[in-house]
Amino acid sequence: MSYRVLYQNSNMKKIILAILSLVVLVACNSKQSESTQAATETKTIETAQVESGLPTVLDFSATWCPPCQQFKPIFEEVKEKYDGQVDMKTIDVDQNRELAEKYNISSIPAIIFLDADGKEIDRNVGFMDKETLEESIHINFNIKKIEDNNQPQ
């Protein structure tokens, strides 16, 4: 093998090492950014809940989860119906792992009911129909049921 071939191989190794180093650096920065974003989301949800002074329903879900996607329009409808009485938030477990860990979410959909002070008072794992969700709000938060025409019962 000539000196020239060894020299070219040595330069190629340097280029490959430089590229690999760059890939590792980008990956590390991306993970740190995701972690910072998740921590910010956790603080935002907790701060909003304390500031609102309302009981809260947290819907832990994911885009890839069929029961979660089936529950989504039900949750949104009930959220609109009880606006101003109950704070309702959807949390994607893939984007908010820190918050999912805080509430020990191991299966989804998971619906957590928090009192106005942020203390967990109930939870449901699995799909909920509209009537069950509304009944849970009524029982857990002592809020009058609202009929579909928005008249308290």
Side-chain angles (χ1 to χ4, degrees):
M1 209 180 246
S2 73
Y3 176 73
R4 185 175 200 167
V5 172
L6 286 175
Y7 179 74
Q8 287 174 339
N9 285 341
S10 175
N11 282 338
M12 185 61 88
K13 286 180 186 177
K14 288 178 186 176
I15 291 171
I16 291 172
L17 283 173
I19 291 171
L20 287 174
S21 297
L22 183 61
V23 167
V24 169
L25 181 64
V26 169
C28 288
N29 283 338
S30 175
K31 274 290 189 201
Q32 185 177 9
S33 175
E34 288 174 11
S35 175
T36 302
Q37 180 181 2
T40 302
E41 181 70 19
T42 300
K43 293 291 183 197
T44 302
I45 288 171
E46 291 171 347
T47 302
Q49 202 241 343
V50 169
E51 288 175 357
S52 75
L54 296 173
T56 302
V57 179
L58 301 177
D59 166 28
F60 287 89
S61 64
T63 57
W64 49 264
C65 166
C68 299
Q69 296 309 306
Q70 184 181 7
F71 179 66
K72 187 175 182 175
I74 294 169
F75 189 80
E76 291 302 317
E77 182 181 342
V78 173
K79 176 180 179 176
E80 186 176 313
K81 192 173 181 179
Y82 286 88
D83 186 39
Q85 294 182 346
V86 179
D87 193 13
M88 300 179 71
K89 300 196 179 307
T90 300
I91 296 142
D92 186 313
V93 295
D94 292 326
Q95 295 177 2
N96 298 288
R97 291 182 182 174
E98 187 176 301
L99 198 56
E101 287 174 11
K102 175 183 176 183
Y103 287 100
N104 298 313
I105 303 301
S106 58
S107 296
I108 55 174
I111 315 306
I112 298 183
F113 299 85
L114 307 172
D115 67 13
D117 296 324
K119 180 182 173 198
E120 182 176 333
I121 55 177
D122 195 13
R123 93 170 32 208
N124 181 79
V125 177
F127 178 80
M128 291 177 85
D129 61 28
K130 180 181 171 188
E131 292 75 25
T132 305
L133 176 59
E134 289 190 55
E135 186 68 20
S136 295
I137 289 171
H138 172 68
I139 291 169
N140 288 313
F141 302 141
N142 197 26
I143 293 175
K144 291 183 181 179
K145 287 184 184 178
I146 299 175
E147 294 302 316
D148 286 330
N149 60 5
N150 290 333
Q151 298 298 319
Q153 187 178 18

